[in-house]
Amino acid sequence: MRIAATVMLTDETIGPVRLARELEERGFDGLYLPEHTHIPASRESPGPTGGELPRAYHRTLDPLVALGAAAAATERLRLGTGVLLVAQHDPIVLAKQIATLDALSGGRFTLGAGLGWNREEAEDHGVDWGARRSVVRDRIALMRALWAPEPTAYEGPYGSVRASHAHPKPARPGGPRLLLGGAPGPRLFAHVAAYADGWMPVGGGGLTRALPELRAAWEAAGREPDALRVVPSQVRPSPGKLERLAELGVEEVVVGLPAAGEAEVLHALDDCAPYL
């Protein structure tokens, strides 16, 4: 089992270069970073964990910029977003950013894409909250047209692009690995099966019940059963938990690190050493 890490990097935490080097030297497989462009002070949307929203949410670094710094400081560490709020981006610009990061890192990038939970944040970007699932799917399709080997046009319900010359290209034909984040259910699993490479759930709980449903949707869409990837994020590792996930067919987990300074984060990495 491969073990990666995720953390909310901010202007007050350990930096991406030091963290990436430590992860690579210790044998971690990858680094995934989340995204929030801003958090409206009105705070109308409840936070994902309930209660007061942690300070780190207000101060997150841009994940693609931070991952670019991590890529330059490492050689084999995989890099990913966990998750990027795709609907909040211009897809033509985002396609260029992702392709550049993937090309410069030697194909080490994974696009973890999410729908978001903060309605006010999304609406500031002009996102129709009720349509955000369709917007994400449309954005991905448009970006894949730009990543195609030959100039390819795309006309969708939320965006379009002429057949264009767009370089660099991602290392993998069709674009980097795509994992969709979100709560389990028929609607999400239909999207995963339709256009993603797998699912990035939060934590490892409930997978015994959810995975058969996801696999059924995947195979009903005509996808190759062995191609499905499930990558739980924010996992708190223990021998029993990792063994159970392995029995479910999970080959990669992403452990959560504290949004803290160097000393606390390095201590957390020490705690993960037995599992590596």
Side-chain angles (χ1 to χ4, degrees), residues 25-132:
E25 290 173 3
R26 292 163 183 260
F28 283 82
D29 183 72
L31 170 63
Y32 289 82
L33 298 180
E35 177 183 40
H36 280 289
T37 56
H38 66 300
I39 299 293
S42 60
R43 294 293 299 111
E44 297 169 27
S45 296
T49 59
E52 188 70 20
L53 197 65
R55 177 182 176 88
Y57 279 81
H58 306 169
R59 310 182 72 96
T60 53
L61 302 183
D62 179 279
L64 297 178
V65 174
L67 289 170
T74 57
E75 295 182 354
R76 64 152 193 87
L77 189 73
R78 298 174 191 264
L79 310 159
T81 50
V83 291
L84 190 78
L85 303 174
V86 171
Q88 298 180 182
H89 290 265
D90 178 310
I92 299 174
V93 175
L94 184 59
K96 172 71 77 172
Q97 293 171 318
I98 288 172
T100 300
L101 176 56
D102 192 58
L104 292 179
S105 68
R108 289 186 277 155
F109 182 70
T110 289
L111 174 57
L115 304 172
W117 57 265
N118 192 311
R119 181 172 186 152
E120 302 85 73
E121 177 186 1
E123 289 178 346
D124 281 350
H125 286 279
V127 177
D128 178 347
W129 187 247
R132 68 193 188 282

Side-chain angles (χ1 to χ4, degrees), residues 46-231:
T49 59
E52 188 70 20
L53 197 65
R55 177 182 176 88
Y57 279 81
H58 306 169
R59 310 182 72 96
T60 53
L61 302 183
D62 179 279
L64 297 178
V65 174
L67 289 170
T74 57
E75 295 182 354
R76 64 152 193 87
L77 189 73
R78 298 174 191 264
L79 310 159
T81 50
V83 291
L84 190 78
L85 303 174
V86 171
Q88 298 180 182
H89 290 265
D90 178 310
I92 299 174
V93 175
L94 184 59
K96 172 71 77 172
Q97 293 171 318
I98 288 172
T100 300
L101 176 56
D102 192 58
L104 292 179
S105 68
R108 289 186 277 155
F109 182 70
T110 289
L111 174 57
L115 304 172
W117 57 265
N118 192 311
R119 181 172 186 152
E120 302 85 73
E121 177 186 1
E123 289 178 346
D124 281 350
H125 286 279
V127 177
D128 178 347
W129 187 247
R132 68 193 188 282
R133 290 173 177 81
S134 298
V135 172
V136 169
R137 183 171 182 170
D138 189 63
R139 297 276 194 267
I140 296 295
L142 191 155
M143 290 194 294
R144 283 176 169 163
L146 290 168
W147 295 332
E150 299 296 333
T152 302
Y154 176 76
E155 183 73 35
Y158 299 98
S160 62
V161 67
R162 296 173 175 83
S164 303
H165 300 287
H167 294 267
K169 301 296 184 184
R172 192 181 84 158
R177 182 176 67 155
L178 170 63
L179 303 174
L180 282 185
R187 185 158 54 173
L188 177 74
F189 291 164
H191 280 258
V192 171
Y195 67 92
D197 297 299
W199 178 36
M200 179 176 273
V202 175
L207 292 185
T208 302
R209 182 174 59 256
L211 285 184
E213 182 181 351
L214 172 58
R215 290 185 174 119
W218 184 266
E219 294 182 27
R223 306 292 297 272
E224 179 62 38
D226 292 341
L228 175 63
R229 296 292 177 262
V230 177
V231 183

